[in-house]
Short mmCIF file of all heavy atoms in Angstrom, two decimals:
data_model
loop_
_atom_site.label_atom_id
_atom_site.label_comp_id
_atom_site.label_asym_id
_atom_site.label_seq_id
_atom_site.Cartn_x
_atom_site.Cartn_y
_atom_site.Cartn_z
N PHE A 1 53.64 -2.57 130.99
CA PHE A 1 53.69 -3.93 130.46
C PHE A 1 52.44 -4.69 130.86
O PHE A 1 51.73 -4.31 131.78
CB PHE A 1 54.93 -4.67 130.93
CG PHE A 1 55.08 -4.69 132.43
CD1 PHE A 1 54.45 -5.65 133.19
CD2 PHE A 1 55.83 -3.72 133.06
CE1 PHE A 1 54.57 -5.64 134.57
CE2 PHE A 1 55.96 -3.71 134.45
CZ PHE A 1 55.33 -4.68 135.20
N GLY A 2 52.18 -5.75 130.14
CA GLY A 2 51.06 -6.63 130.41
C GLY A 2 51.23 -7.89 129.59
O GLY A 2 52.24 -8.06 128.91
N PRO A 3 50.23 -8.77 129.62
CA PRO A 3 50.34 -9.99 128.82
C PRO A 3 50.51 -9.66 127.33
O PRO A 3 49.66 -8.99 126.75
CB PRO A 3 49.01 -10.71 129.07
CG PRO A 3 48.50 -10.13 130.35
CD PRO A 3 49.00 -8.71 130.38
N GLY A 4 51.62 -10.05 126.77
CA GLY A 4 51.86 -9.85 125.35
C GLY A 4 52.15 -8.42 124.93
O GLY A 4 52.12 -8.11 123.75
N ALA A 5 52.46 -7.53 125.87
CA ALA A 5 52.68 -6.13 125.51
C ALA A 5 53.73 -5.47 126.42
O ALA A 5 53.80 -5.76 127.61
CB ALA A 5 51.38 -5.35 125.62
N VAL A 6 54.51 -4.61 125.81
CA VAL A 6 55.41 -3.75 126.58
C VAL A 6 55.51 -2.42 125.82
O VAL A 6 55.63 -2.39 124.60
CB VAL A 6 56.81 -4.40 126.80
CG1 VAL A 6 57.53 -4.64 125.49
CG2 VAL A 6 57.65 -3.57 127.74
N ASP A 7 55.37 -1.32 126.56
CA ASP A 7 55.48 0.02 126.01
C ASP A 7 56.47 0.80 126.86
O ASP A 7 56.48 0.64 128.08
CB ASP A 7 54.14 0.77 126.04
CG ASP A 7 53.05 0.06 125.25
OD1 ASP A 7 53.38 -0.65 124.29
OD2 ASP A 7 51.88 0.23 125.61
N ILE A 8 57.25 1.64 126.24
CA ILE A 8 58.23 2.42 126.98
C ILE A 8 58.35 3.81 126.37
O ILE A 8 58.29 3.97 125.15
CB ILE A 8 59.59 1.67 127.02
CG1 ILE A 8 60.51 2.22 128.07
CG2 ILE A 8 60.24 1.60 125.67
CD1 ILE A 8 61.63 1.27 128.47
N ASP A 9 58.45 4.81 127.22
CA ASP A 9 58.65 6.20 126.80
C ASP A 9 60.06 6.62 127.21
O ASP A 9 60.46 6.39 128.35
CB ASP A 9 57.64 7.14 127.45
CG ASP A 9 56.20 6.85 127.08
OD1 ASP A 9 55.99 6.24 126.02
OD2 ASP A 9 55.32 7.23 127.85
N LEU A 10 60.78 7.24 126.28
CA LEU A 10 62.15 7.67 126.55
C LEU A 10 62.35 9.13 126.17
O LEU A 10 61.79 9.59 125.17
CB LEU A 10 63.13 6.83 125.72
CG LEU A 10 63.13 5.36 126.00
CD1 LEU A 10 62.97 4.61 124.73
CD2 LEU A 10 64.39 4.97 126.70
N LYS A 11 63.16 9.80 126.93
CA LYS A 11 63.61 11.15 126.59
C LYS A 11 64.92 10.98 125.84
O LYS A 11 65.87 10.41 126.35
CB LYS A 11 63.80 11.96 127.88
CG LYS A 11 64.21 13.39 127.65
CD LYS A 11 64.20 14.20 128.93
CE LYS A 11 65.23 13.71 129.91
NZ LYS A 11 65.40 14.60 131.08
N VAL A 12 64.95 11.46 124.58
CA VAL A 12 66.09 11.23 123.69
C VAL A 12 66.54 12.55 123.09
O VAL A 12 65.72 13.36 122.67
CB VAL A 12 65.69 10.26 122.55
CG1 VAL A 12 66.83 10.06 121.59
CG2 VAL A 12 65.21 8.94 123.11
N ALA A 13 67.84 12.75 123.02
CA ALA A 13 68.40 13.93 122.36
C ALA A 13 68.76 13.54 120.93
O ALA A 13 69.51 12.59 120.70
CB ALA A 13 69.64 14.43 123.09
N ALA A 14 68.19 14.27 119.96
CA ALA A 14 68.46 13.99 118.55
C ALA A 14 68.14 15.23 117.74
O ALA A 14 67.45 16.14 118.21
CB ALA A 14 67.64 12.80 118.07
N ARG A 15 68.63 15.27 116.51
CA ARG A 15 68.37 16.42 115.64
C ARG A 15 66.94 16.44 115.11
O ARG A 15 66.34 17.49 114.95
CB ARG A 15 69.36 16.43 114.48
CG ARG A 15 70.78 16.75 114.91
CD ARG A 15 71.75 16.67 113.73
NE ARG A 15 73.11 16.86 114.15
CZ ARG A 15 73.88 15.91 114.67
NH1 ARG A 15 73.41 14.70 114.84
NH2 ARG A 15 75.11 16.16 115.02
N THR A 16 66.41 15.25 114.78
CA THR A 16 65.07 15.15 114.20
C THR A 16 64.29 14.03 114.87
O THR A 16 64.87 13.14 115.51
CB THR A 16 65.14 14.84 112.69
OG1 THR A 16 65.71 13.53 112.52
CG2 THR A 16 65.98 15.88 111.93
N ALA A 17 62.98 14.05 114.65
CA ALA A 17 62.13 12.98 115.18
C ALA A 17 62.52 11.64 114.54
O ALA A 17 62.55 10.61 115.22
CB ALA A 17 60.66 13.29 114.91
N ALA A 18 62.81 11.66 113.25
CA ALA A 18 63.20 10.43 112.55
C ALA A 18 64.48 9.84 113.15
O ALA A 18 64.59 8.62 113.33
CB ALA A 18 63.39 10.70 111.06
N GLU A 19 65.44 10.70 113.46
CA GLU A 19 66.68 10.23 114.07
C GLU A 19 66.41 9.64 115.46
O GLU A 19 66.94 8.59 115.81
CB GLU A 19 67.69 11.37 114.17
CG GLU A 19 69.00 10.96 114.80
CD GLU A 19 69.97 12.11 114.98
OE1 GLU A 19 69.63 13.28 114.67
OE2 GLU A 19 71.09 11.85 115.45
N ALA A 20 65.59 10.31 116.25
CA ALA A 20 65.26 9.83 117.59
C ALA A 20 64.59 8.46 117.51
O ALA A 20 64.94 7.53 118.26
CB ALA A 20 64.36 10.82 118.31
N CYS A 21 63.64 8.31 116.59
CA CYS A 21 62.94 7.04 116.42
C CYS A 21 63.90 5.93 115.97
O CYS A 21 63.82 4.80 116.44
CB CYS A 21 61.80 7.19 115.43
SG CYS A 21 60.38 8.11 116.08
N ALA A 22 64.79 6.25 115.06
CA ALA A 22 65.74 5.27 114.55
C ALA A 22 66.67 4.77 115.66
O ALA A 22 66.95 3.57 115.75
CB ALA A 22 66.55 5.85 113.40
N ILE A 23 67.15 5.68 116.50
CA ILE A 23 68.02 5.31 117.61
C ILE A 23 67.30 4.33 118.53
O ILE A 23 67.81 3.26 118.87
CB ILE A 23 68.46 6.55 118.41
CG1 ILE A 23 69.43 7.41 117.60
CG2 ILE A 23 69.09 6.16 119.75
CD1 ILE A 23 69.65 8.80 118.17
N VAL A 24 66.09 4.69 118.92
CA VAL A 24 65.34 3.85 119.85
C VAL A 24 64.95 2.52 119.20
O VAL A 24 65.08 1.47 119.82
CB VAL A 24 64.11 4.61 120.38
CG1 VAL A 24 63.22 3.71 121.19
CG2 VAL A 24 64.57 5.80 121.22
N ARG A 25 64.49 2.55 117.97
CA ARG A 25 64.10 1.31 117.28
C ARG A 25 65.28 0.33 117.23
O ARG A 25 65.14 -0.85 117.53
CB ARG A 25 63.60 1.59 115.88
CG ARG A 25 63.22 0.33 115.11
CD ARG A 25 62.73 0.62 113.71
NE ARG A 25 61.45 1.27 113.69
CZ ARG A 25 60.28 0.63 113.79
NH1 ARG A 25 60.26 -0.67 113.94
NH2 ARG A 25 59.15 1.30 113.75
N GLN A 26 66.45 0.83 116.86
CA GLN A 26 67.63 -0.03 116.76
C GLN A 26 67.99 -0.64 118.11
O GLN A 26 68.26 -1.84 118.21
CB GLN A 26 68.81 0.78 116.22
CG GLN A 26 70.09 -0.01 116.13
CD GLN A 26 71.26 0.85 115.71
OE1 GLN A 26 71.28 2.06 115.91
NE2 GLN A 26 72.26 0.23 115.11
N ARG A 27 67.96 0.16 119.16
CA ARG A 27 68.38 -0.35 120.48
C ARG A 27 67.35 -1.27 121.11
O ARG A 27 67.71 -2.24 121.76
CB ARG A 27 68.73 0.82 121.38
CG ARG A 27 69.91 1.59 120.79
CD ARG A 27 70.75 2.22 121.80
NE ARG A 27 71.86 2.90 121.18
CZ ARG A 27 72.58 3.82 121.77
NH1 ARG A 27 72.29 4.18 123.01
NH2 ARG A 27 73.58 4.39 121.15
N VAL A 28 66.07 -0.97 120.91
CA VAL A 28 65.03 -1.85 121.45
C VAL A 28 65.04 -3.18 120.70
O VAL A 28 64.91 -4.23 121.32
CB VAL A 28 63.64 -1.16 121.40
CG1 VAL A 28 62.53 -2.17 121.70
CG2 VAL A 28 63.59 -0.01 122.40
N THR A 29 65.21 -3.15 119.39
CA THR A 29 65.29 -4.37 118.61
C THR A 29 66.45 -5.24 119.09
O THR A 29 66.32 -6.46 119.21
CB THR A 29 65.45 -4.05 117.11
OG1 THR A 29 64.29 -3.34 116.68
CG2 THR A 29 65.61 -5.31 116.28
N ALA A 30 67.57 -4.62 119.41
CA ALA A 30 68.74 -5.36 119.90
C ALA A 30 68.49 -5.93 121.30
O ALA A 30 69.00 -6.99 121.64
CB ALA A 30 69.97 -4.46 119.91
N ALA A 31 67.69 -5.24 122.11
CA ALA A 31 67.45 -5.66 123.49
C ALA A 31 66.43 -6.79 123.59
O ALA A 31 66.52 -7.64 124.48
CB ALA A 31 66.99 -4.48 124.34
N LEU A 32 65.44 -6.80 122.70
CA LEU A 32 64.39 -7.81 122.75
C LEU A 32 64.65 -8.89 121.69
O LEU A 32 65.29 -8.64 120.69
CB LEU A 32 63.02 -7.17 122.47
CG LEU A 32 62.54 -6.17 123.51
CD1 LEU A 32 61.22 -5.57 123.06
CD2 LEU A 32 62.41 -6.82 124.88
N ASP A 33 64.11 -10.07 121.93
CA ASP A 33 64.27 -11.12 120.93
C ASP A 33 63.17 -11.04 119.87
O ASP A 33 62.29 -10.19 119.94
CB ASP A 33 64.34 -12.50 121.59
CG ASP A 33 63.08 -12.87 122.33
OD1 ASP A 33 61.99 -12.40 121.93
OD2 ASP A 33 63.17 -13.63 123.31
N GLU A 34 63.23 -11.94 118.91
CA GLU A 34 62.30 -11.90 117.78
C GLU A 34 60.85 -12.18 118.18
O GLU A 34 59.94 -11.97 117.39
CB GLU A 34 62.74 -12.86 116.68
CG GLU A 34 62.72 -14.33 117.06
CD GLU A 34 63.94 -14.81 117.85
OE1 GLU A 34 64.90 -14.05 118.02
OE2 GLU A 34 63.92 -15.97 118.28
N ASN A 35 60.63 -12.64 119.40
CA ASN A 35 59.25 -12.86 119.87
C ASN A 35 58.55 -11.57 120.29
O ASN A 35 57.37 -11.60 120.63
CB ASN A 35 59.25 -13.85 121.05
CG ASN A 35 59.68 -15.24 120.63
OD1 ASN A 35 59.29 -15.71 119.56
ND2 ASN A 35 60.49 -15.88 121.43
N TRP A 36 59.27 -10.46 120.28
CA TRP A 36 58.71 -9.17 120.68
C TRP A 36 58.94 -8.14 119.58
O TRP A 36 59.73 -7.21 119.72
CB TRP A 36 59.37 -8.70 121.98
CG TRP A 36 58.94 -9.52 123.14
CD1 TRP A 36 59.56 -10.62 123.64
CD2 TRP A 36 57.77 -9.32 123.92
NE1 TRP A 36 58.86 -11.11 124.69
CE2 TRP A 36 57.75 -10.34 124.89
CE3 TRP A 36 56.74 -8.39 123.90
CZ2 TRP A 36 56.73 -10.44 125.84
CZ3 TRP A 36 55.73 -8.48 124.84
CH2 TRP A 36 55.73 -9.51 125.79
N PRO A 37 58.24 -8.26 118.45
CA PRO A 37 58.42 -7.28 117.37
C PRO A 37 57.88 -5.91 117.75
O PRO A 37 56.87 -5.79 118.46
CB PRO A 37 57.63 -7.89 116.21
CG PRO A 37 56.63 -8.80 116.84
CD PRO A 37 57.27 -9.30 118.11
N ILE A 38 58.57 -4.90 117.29
CA ILE A 38 58.13 -3.52 117.51
C ILE A 38 56.98 -3.23 116.57
O ILE A 38 57.05 -3.50 115.38
CB ILE A 38 59.29 -2.54 117.26
CG1 ILE A 38 60.38 -2.76 118.30
CG2 ILE A 38 58.79 -1.10 117.27
CD1 ILE A 38 61.64 -1.98 118.05
N VAL A 39 55.90 -2.69 117.11
CA VAL A 39 54.73 -2.39 116.29
C VAL A 39 54.55 -0.89 116.06
O VAL A 39 53.86 -0.49 115.14
CB VAL A 39 53.43 -2.98 116.88
CG1 VAL A 39 53.50 -4.50 116.87
CG2 VAL A 39 53.16 -2.46 118.28
N GLU A 40 55.20 -0.08 116.89
CA GLU A 40 55.05 1.37 116.73
C GLU A 40 56.19 2.11 117.41
O GLU A 40 56.61 1.74 118.50
CB GLU A 40 53.72 1.82 117.35
CG GLU A 40 53.43 3.29 117.19
CD GLU A 40 52.08 3.68 117.80
OE1 GLU A 40 51.55 2.95 118.63
OE2 GLU A 40 51.61 4.73 117.41
#
């Protein structure tokens, strides 16, 4: 983390890369408010 930035790496069990990304995107979006949009 730093000013205006946060990055996190997770080990995730999923069938596909797309599924793994979708799981994480959904949960991170729910955890952070609208002032912290996901960029990647």
